[in-house]
Amino acid sequence: MATVAQMQEQILRGKAERNVCILAHSYQASEIVEIADYTGDSFQMSRSAQQSKAKTLLVCGVRFMAETAKLLSPKKRVILASPDAGCPMAEQISPAEVLTFKATHPGCKVVAYVNTTAELKTVADVCVTSSSAVKIVRDMEAEEILFLPDGNLGHYVKQQVPEKTVHLMRGCCPVHAAVTKEDALAAKAAHPGAPLLVHPECRPEVVAQAEFVGSTSAIMEYAKASDQKEFIIGTEMSIAELLQYACPEKRFFPLSKKLICSDMKLTTLPDVLAAVEGRGGEEIVLPESVMRRASVCIEEMLRLG
Ligand code: 13P
Ligand code: SF4
């Protein structure tokens, strides 16, 4: 039986031999984050996909992340380590619904959270991630915007950019949206004085309780730089764990133990090894028309972000 360390060794050897670059979202299990070439939030993963010189990108995350990597690196082989790992939010709105909305709102620009299918991106004008949404919506020339699919992130953007008309559609991350205001109040009562740091995919009434709102990476940077010693972490549980490794002198409490993304946790080290060795994972192949139209809004995201 191989140990975790032995399997990590095999992966590191295999990826060097086969010129594979591993991109892991920070919600992945820590044994995967440890062997990744690049790790971070969705925006950092996109940038790394574009910058990497490797022939093959192996994405440890969910399907929209692998599709985004493919859109940014069309000449590379892009493999999703766990083919079953999807993001429920990415599937919540269809391109037809967006086109219907656009027909009645001429001049309205469509801003799609990167957590969407490549197909939905074909009807968007620009993509955003949680770290760039406010900046991009604020800086865009358009005064009227349809933001989709995440109503919670959309609500946060609307609050931060009150000078624009921002329309929202239904849609949410079921993991972050499961946390309630009562959970936030209970965590604050249990850890008095510890600031609450939350992801904007949380409900507005949870965000309203927070001392800091930001993407996965922004939450990590804030906690690392802060002089405070205790923090309540309002995003996927892996972030509290990674912070605890990075800052052993501080303490990190998950806002709620409901904050586990089962899709992000589908990828295992054996999946990564099988994909590196070419006997597992799924190669992302997108129709030419989708590649052409969807990559425009991803490129626009990198230009404006
Ligand atoms: P970020 O990576 O943009 O922080 O988003 C979190 C998330 O839910 C990814 O699926
Ligand atoms: Fe999708 Fe939410 Fe999981 Fe991110 S945490 S992959 S948005 S379900």
Side-chain angles (χ1 to χ4, degrees):
M1 190 184 80
T3 64
V4 167
Q6 285 165 339
M7 197 164 281
Q8 287 177 318
E9 275 290 307
Q10 278 177 279
I11 292 169
L12 292 174
R13 261 199 316 275
K15 81 181 181 66
E17 282 164 17
R18 295 176 174 84
N19 196 9
V20 177
C21 168
I22 299 183
L23 305 174
H25 190 273
S26 329
Y27 290 171
Q28 292 290 291
S30 53
E31 64 270 21
I32 293 174
V33 169
E34 278 168 16
I35 44 95
D37 295 281
Y38 296 102
T39 181
D41 65 11
S42 307
F43 188 72
Q44 290 168 326
M45 282 181 83
S46 306
R47 275 235 184 281
S48 311
Q50 206 186 29
Q51 287 162 1
S52 167
K53 299 268 182 287
K55 270 197 194 147
T56 302
L57 301 177
L58 176 57
V59 176
C60 302
V62 293
R63 183 167 294 270
F64 79 80
M65 295 174 175
E67 288 183 347
T68 305
K70 183 68 188 173
L71 292 169
L72 283 166
S73 310
K75 297 213 166 74
K76 290 182 182 148
R77 281 183 80 225
V78 175
I79 311 287
L80 176 61
S82 174
D84 293 335
C87 165
M89 175 159 59
E91 316 275 338
Q92 285 165 346
I93 289 170
S94 70
E97 286 172 88
V98 178
L99 292 176
T100 305
F101 183 92
K102 276 179 90 165
T104 51
H105 294 77
C108 179
K109 293 287 180 196
V110 179
V111 176
Y113 195 20
V114 74
N115 301 30
T116 43
T117 60
E119 213 195 339
L120 191 67
K121 289 183 178 85
T122 62
V123 294
D125 294 292
V126 61
C127 271
V128 296
T129 66
S130 55
S131 61
S132 60
V134 170
K135 177 181 186 304
I136 290 180
V137 170
R138 190 176 282 139
D139 292 354
M140 284 171 73
E141 266 180 34
E143 292 304 322
E144 191 182 0
I145 281 149
L146 170 63
F147 187 97
L148 49 91
D150 188 353
N152 290 337
L153 175 62
H155 182 275
Y156 178 68
V157 169
K158 214 171 148 88
Q159 265 185 340
Q160 302 298 310
V161 194
E163 65 277 19
K164 299 208 174 179
T165 304
V166 181
H167 301 280
L168 304 177
M169 278 188 173
R170 69 183 193 287
C172 69
C173 160
V175 178
H176 288 84
V179 180
T180 62
K181 179 179 175 185
E182 288 66 39
D183 293 327
L185 294 175
K188 287 186 136 195
H191 308 292
L196 171 62
L197 320 183
V198 303
H199 197 282
E201 286 174 12
C202 289
R203 296 181 194 197
E205 60 270 29
V206 173
V207 171
Q209 299 298 322
E211 274 72 34
F212 179 79
V213 185
S215 74
T216 311
S217 301
I219 288 176
M220 292 184 78
E221 280 157 26
Y222 180 96
K224 285 178 188 173
S226 168
D227 291 337
Q228 282 182 272
K229 295 286 173 235
E230 296 194 338
F231 304 85
I232 305 165
I233 304 298
T235 189
E236 219 271 352
M237 297 261 290
S238 281
I239 300 304
E241 184 189 346
L242 292 180
L243 278 167
Q244 196 60 72
Y245 296 138
C247 311
E249 73 290 0
K250 297 181 179 177
R251 293 195 70 194
F252 300 94
F253 306 102
L255 163 57
S256 160
K257 295 204 171 161
K258 288 181 273 193
L259 280 162
I260 296 183
C261 177
S262 53
D263 278 281
M264 283 286 189
K265 297 295 187 278
L266 279 178
T267 313
T268 62
L269 268 189
D271 290 337
V272 181
L273 180 60
V276 165
E277 292 182 343
R279 53 182 176 80
E282 178 188 321
E283 178 167 2
I284 300 295
V285 180
L286 296 170
E288 184 46 43
S289 59
V290 171
M291 286 293 289
R292 195 168 12 87
R293 281 152 55 209
S295 58
V296 174
C297 66
I298 297 276
E299 300 283 356
E300 191 63 356
M301 167 180 89
L302 293 183
R303 191 180 70 81
L304 293 170

